[in-house]
Each structure stands twice: as structure tokens, then as C-alpha cells.
Amino acid sequence: MTDPLSRPSDARQATSLPNDLNARELARWTWRQLTSMRTALVLLLLLALAAIPGSVFPQEDIDSLAVSQWRDNHPRLAPIWDRLDLFAVYGSPWFGAIYILLMISLVGCIIPRLFVYARALRAKPPRAPRHLSRLPESTSYTTDEDPDVVLARAASVVRDRRFRVEWTEGSDAVAAERGHLREAGNLVFHLAVIVVLVGVAIGSLFGYKGGVIMFNGEDYGFSNNLTQYDDFAPGSLFDPAVMEPFSFSITDFDVEWIPDGPRAGMARKFVAHLDYETEPGAETEEYDLRVNHPLSIGGTDVFLIGHGYAPVITVRDGEGNIAQSGPTVFLPTNAQTFESFGVVKAADAQPEQIGLEGSFYPTFSMGTDADGNLTMPGSAWGDALDPLVSLQVYTGDVGLDDGTSASVYVLDKTKATQLLKDDGQPFRMDLRPGDTVTLPDGLGSVTFEGLERWNKIQISRSPGKFIALGGVVAALLGLLASLFIRPRRLWVRARRQDDGSTLVEVARLDRSSGGDPETGRDELADIVAALRKDKS
């Protein structure tokens, strides 16, 4: 039996709880929750929070060198970070799930609002309230004109002010409304968010991003094919056939150094001078590649994102044969002085493999403490004014015999033996360009031949970037419209009084919460002044 004191609404509320719903009702309830504006805002916040690790931790598809360094510096955390996909945040399943849910939520939220807005556009302005004088912005005056004449003039005046007007002869009031574009701005903004998400998704699915480290000179040219990349991150629907067949080489590299101040010795700007061909056999063209000034070839952009030094080191083994020779990339550990760290691996050295590990100082200097005592070595300047490479030596298995892939920037010393002096101290070589050091025990020699520069080049293709850009522009326009357009309503009523005069009442209602009362009163006064001026 039903409780006589219960209300019908109580029963409806009880049956609206998810625990009491059947499968169909539960699915409908879930859809309503997912497509609510509150859920869309929560998902947008989650997407922003999920993107934070992509800014904090280096990403494989952006800078694999930084990822390698992070793994080397944090060997215990690296496996955990790999499981959480923190080195590839934007391609991780959990980031994609948030992304897709946000898309569904926005689409499901906006489509009903579009129908509501379409009906509102066709709707007539609401009829005038019975008591206009009770509205916060209202005024009145009397005139001897006929009410229909006053109302016809009022309709013309407010129509000239771009109000939508509803008035027919015989009615006692003019109803007008303006500011529907405010809601249009809201809708445009939310639709633009979807467009941006779609553009980013297209770029992620069909585009690619890769990196390559290049040295100066025509001998180190690059051709745009998969075998030339040091690291390559394609989209899940990437087709290699879309890769433009261009090629380029770095002919020269210029750096401008800051001469004084707290950042003295730091690189202020740098330029890589390129010779490139858009396709095999095409005319060679030149381009000065700068940071944030990419070279665009077709739908592909070529970026300059980093640079550093590559000491040219030759390792001869105990039999006098060259076991390793050429420029070796040293990674900067100090962005201001370009003090760098690197390793050299001579896998073919006889009788034992040789591994070198150490630092490169572009302008070598020994620091001093307050008492004038020498401290740790360092670099006083980023420019190579007095280059010196300081290396320690390891022999034996340096991690190249087990067949597993290993970072070229890491020396595996677990099975290697460090070369020591007679006093038990590590054997260290300090070499300037042209210097040669003979290794003890007939292991061979190491020569610092010279110095080259390397440049980190990023090549990317984002087919949806212009879609995303258009969405950003549309979102900005929609946001401006929603912020600065004030929806408001206006009514003018004219009625004949007992003394034969006509009472004209004018009232205005600002429907935006941020409306300025002074602005409203000014608009009201202008309309009344226009009505009286037309009379004269």
C-alpha cells in the first residue's frame, strides 16, 4: 500500500537512483551523466592534469636523448615510468581514454544545446510584464501623442539599434530583444574545442615525428626516409608513402654568445645553414634554420631544437689498428657553459675492448675556493676557446657482446675493469686537440683529433595542424563573444490615461550577470531621448 503522506515526486526520485534502474535506464542515466556540462568540465580538467607529466618528463617522440639521460640518472624509477607510459604520455592508453571520453561528452552536450538555440532564434521576444515600473531599469513620461504613433516610433528606434522587435498594431506594447550571439559565442567556443581535439587527433593518427643528430658538412647529409632517423614516432595510421623525398645537409653553424652579465658565455641564438633539395634531382636551395623558424617542405616541418660538441676521438688498439674513429656526441650537462658528458666504445679493439667515459670542457678552467685552492674542473665559457676532453678508461666487456641494444650515451661497466695508475688512482687522460695518450699495458692509444658541432634536428608532419589552428581562432572569437555581448530585453508600453494624455513606460532587463547598471541606464536614457527627439 502506498504511504498517504508520500508525494509523487518522492517516488520519481527514488526510481531515478542507479541502483533501481534496469539495463536500459542505467545506460540512459550513464549517457546523461557523461554528456552533462559538469562531466565535460571535469574531463577537460583531467586532460590538463594528464598532460602535466608530458611537460615535466622528457618524451620519447620529442627528445629521446633527454629520455636516455633521465633513465641513466634514475635507474630505479625508469622501469616504473615506462610502465606508466610517462615517457610517451600523449600516446598512452589512459591519455587516449580521457581524450575520447571528453570528445563524446562535448558532442553529447553541445548537440542538444544547438537545437535549443535554434528554437530560441525563431522564438518571439517575450511579452511585456504587467508592471514595467517594478523592473530595476525603468522610466516613464507622458505625451499627447496617440499610443499607436508612439509605439510605431518605438519599434523603429529599437529596430535601428539592432533589436529584434515584436509589435503589431492594436497591441499596447513593443517587445524587443538583443544579444542572442552571446549563446552563439558559447556554442562556437565549445564546438571549437572539439575542432581542436579533432585536429590534434588527426595529427597524432596520420602524422609522425622523428629526430636526427647531424654534423656539419656534406658528408653528413640526411634523406627523408625511415632508415635515416635516430628516433621515429609514427602515428597509428601513418603511411610511409606520405613522406616527402627531400634531403638536406648542414653546411655551417653559427652561434652568438652572450659577452657579459650573469648569463655570460651562454648561447644567445644559433643558426644552422642548410642546403636542401625538395626531391632527388631538384635545384639545391639554401635556408637558415633557427629556433622557432622551421623549414617547411610540403606538409613537413624541419626544426632546430638543440646543439652541442662532438670531439673527434681516434682509438688505436694494442696491435696499432684503428678500433674507433670519428666525432662522438657529448651531451651538455650545463646549458650555460656547455660542459658535456659522453662515452666512446671501441668494440673491435684487441686484445681487449676499450671504453672511454668522461667530460668535455669547451673553455677549460679550474675553479678556486675562497682560500685560492683549486677545486673541481669546469668550463668558463660555452664557446670552444680552450677545449679539453677528460676521459677515464675501461677495458674488457663494455656491454657490446650480449647482443642486446644499448644506449650510445651509456657505458655498461658491470663487466668492465677500470684502468688504474700504479698508486691505485683512476687512470685519467686530459687531452687537447692534437694530443695523443698511450695507454698502459700495451692496450693502445687515444688521440683527440679535433672538434665538430652537432645539431639536433626534429622533423615532423602534422596534417591536422591547420584544423587545430582554425579551432583555436574560432574558440577565441567565441570566447570574446560570450564575454562582451550582453543579452537584454526592452519593452515600451503606451496607454491612454483618463486625462487624455498618453503614458509611455520604458523598461530594460539585462540578462547577463556582469551587466553594468550605469550602462543600462544610459541605454535606457538614450532610447527615451530618441523617442522624444523624433516627436519634436
Side-chain angles (χ1 to χ4, degrees):
M1 180 179 293
T2 310
D3 186 353
L5 299 179
S6 65
R7 298 172 298 176
S9 60
D10 295 335
R12 288 196 300 269
Q13 292 175 4
T15 57
S16 66
L17 296 176
N19 294 335
D20 299 333
L21 301 179
N22 57 36
R24 182 177 180 181
E25 292 171 337
L26 180 61
R28 182 180 299 175
W29 178 86
T30 303
W31 173 254
R32 288 177 178 174
Q33 297 301 314
L34 177 61
T35 57
S36 68
M37 182 57 67
R38 179 178 59 184
T39 302
L41 292 175
V42 170
L43 289 172
L44 191 60
L45 176 61
L46 284 177
L47 189 70
L49 293 175
I52 292 177
S55 302
V56 175
F57 304 110
Q59 300 297 291
E60 283 280 6
D61 58 348
I62 297 177
D63 193 349
S64 60
L65 297 181
V67 173
S68 298
Q69 285 183 303
W70 202 96
R71 285 194 174 105
D72 298 337
N73 296 331
H74 306 84
R76 294 184 178 180
L77 291 177
I80 301 175
W81 264 230
D82 283 325
R83 290 183 180 180
L84 297 176
D85 291 321
L86 295 183
F87 296 128
V89 169
Y90 308 111
S92 62
W94 52 268
F95 189 87
I98 299 174
Y99 200 96
I100 294 173
L101 287 175
L102 177 60
M103 288 281 292
I104 296 173
S105 180
L106 286 174
V107 171
C109 177
I110 291 174
I111 289 179
R113 290 182 63 184
L114 288 175
F115 290 106
V116 172
Y117 181 64
R119 290 194 296 268
L121 285 178
R122 295 191 300 267
K124 298 178 180 179
R127 298 177 59 183
R130 177 172 298 183
H131 302 287
L132 292 180
S133 60
R134 295 181 180 178
L135 295 178
E137 298 172 11
S138 62
T139 187
S140 64
Y141 68 93
T142 58
T143 180
D144 55 0
E145 291 186 292
D146 186 77
D148 286 341
V149 174
V150 174
L151 293 176
R153 185 187 307 123
S156 176
V157 168
V158 295
R159 189 176 286 113
D160 291 342
R161 290 174 173 266
R162 292 178 294 180
F163 279 80
R164 289 193 309 160
V165 178
E166 175 64 21
W167 176 70
T168 57
E169 292 188 17
S171 62
D172 67 341
V174 172
E177 191 172 23
R178 182 181 175 185
H180 277 80
L181 288 180
R182 179 188 180 94
E183 178 62 16
N186 285 328
L187 293 174
V188 168
F189 174 78
H190 289 90
L191 286 172
V193 172
I194 296 178
V195 171
V196 171
L197 294 176
V198 169
V200 174
I202 291 174
S204 299
L205 291 174
F206 297 96
Y208 68 88
K209 185 181 296 182
V212 60
I213 289 182
M214 296 185 62
F215 302 108
N216 295 356
E218 297 181 355
D219 295 337
Y220 303 104
F222 172 85
S223 297
N224 190 34
N225 59 71
L226 296 177
T227 61
Q228 296 283 295
Y229 285 89
D230 295 329
D231 54 83
F232 191 80
S236 56
L237 300 179
F238 165 72
D239 182 3
V242 303
M243 300 179 69
E244 284 88 358
F246 62 83
S247 60
F248 63 87
S249 60
I250 301 176
T251 59
D252 199 5
F253 183 76
D254 296 331
V255 182
E256 181 178 328
W257 305 95
I258 299 176
D260 49 31
R263 301 174 66 188
M266 191 173 182
R268 177 157 47 196
K269 61 180 180 179
F270 40 94
V271 183
H273 303 282
L274 303 185
D275 282 351
Y276 71 96
E277 297 177 359
T278 56
E279 59 183 10
E283 182 180 354
T284 301
E285 302 180 55
E286 298 179 353
Y287 187 81
D288 292 339
L289 190 63
R290 297 180 173 86
V291 176
N292 297 326
H293 291 80
L295 168 63
S296 296
I297 304 175
T300 306
D301 295 321
V302 180
F303 296 88
L304 175 63
I305 62 173
H307 64 104
Y309 292 100
V312 181
I313 297 175
T314 297
V315 179
R316 295 181 181 273
D317 61 15
E319 299 178 0
N321 299 318
I322 295 179
Q324 173 64 31
S325 183
T328 301
V329 174
F330 274 57
L331 302 178
T333 57
N334 187 307
Q336 181 168 344
T337 65
F338 273 81
E339 182 179 331
S340 306
F341 176 84
V343 300
V344 179
K345 303 176 184 180
D348 298 328
Q350 296 295 331
E352 291 184 286
Q353 294 181 354
I354 298 175
L356 308 177
E357 178 185 79
S359 299
F360 171 74
Y361 308 96
T363 303
F364 180 75
S365 67
M366 290 293 295
T368 57
D369 57 20
D371 298 328
N373 299 318
L374 294 177
T375 57
M376 295 295 293
S379 181
W381 196 267
D383 198 2
L385 302 180
D386 183 20
L388 180 141
V389 61
S390 181
L391 301 170
Q392 293 182 341
V393 184
Y394 295 83
T395 60
D397 185 0
V398 293
L400 300 175
D401 292 336
D402 55 5
T404 59
S405 60
S407 172
V408 296
Y409 310 106
V410 180
L411 183 65
D412 185 359
K413 296 172 285 190
T414 55
K415 299 179 181 179
T417 302
Q418 186 174 14
L419 197 62
L420 303 176
K421 298 180 182 178
D422 294 337
D423 58 2
Q425 296 297 317
F427 182 86
R428 178 181 293 276
M429 301 178 294
D430 294 330
L431 301 144
R432 286 184 167 85
D435 290 351
T436 299
V437 172
T438 301
L439 302 177
D441 303 327
L443 293 174
S445 65
V446 177
T447 303
F448 184 9
E449 306 282 0
L451 194 63
E452 290 194 14
R453 302 298 301 262
W454 60 262
N455 297 271
K456 175 66 174 179
I457 304 296
Q458 179 179 288
I459 302 166
S460 62
R461 179 183 176 87
S462 302
K465 63 181 178 181
F466 292 110
I467 297 176
L469 177 60
V472 171
V473 174
L476 179 60
L477 294 177
L479 183 61
L480 292 176
S482 64
L483 290 176
F484 294 104
I485 294 178
R486 305 191 322 275
R488 51 201 186 274
R489 292 170 178 168
L490 184 77
W491 297 276
V492 179
R493 174 178 286 135
R495 292 181 294 187
R496 184 72 73 179
Q497 301 188 101
D498 294 339
D499 59 0
S501 62
T502 298
L503 175 65
V504 181
E505 297 176 290
V506 185
R508 178 185 180 275
L509 179 63
D510 196 328
R511 300 175 60 205
S512 61
S513 59
D516 185 359
E518 291 298 327
T519 302
R521 283 189 284 269
D522 291 343
E523 184 178 43
L524 195 65
D526 291 343
I527 292 174
V528 172
L531 291 174
R532 290 183 166 181
K533 182 178 180 181
D534 288 344
K535 174 188 174 182
S536 61

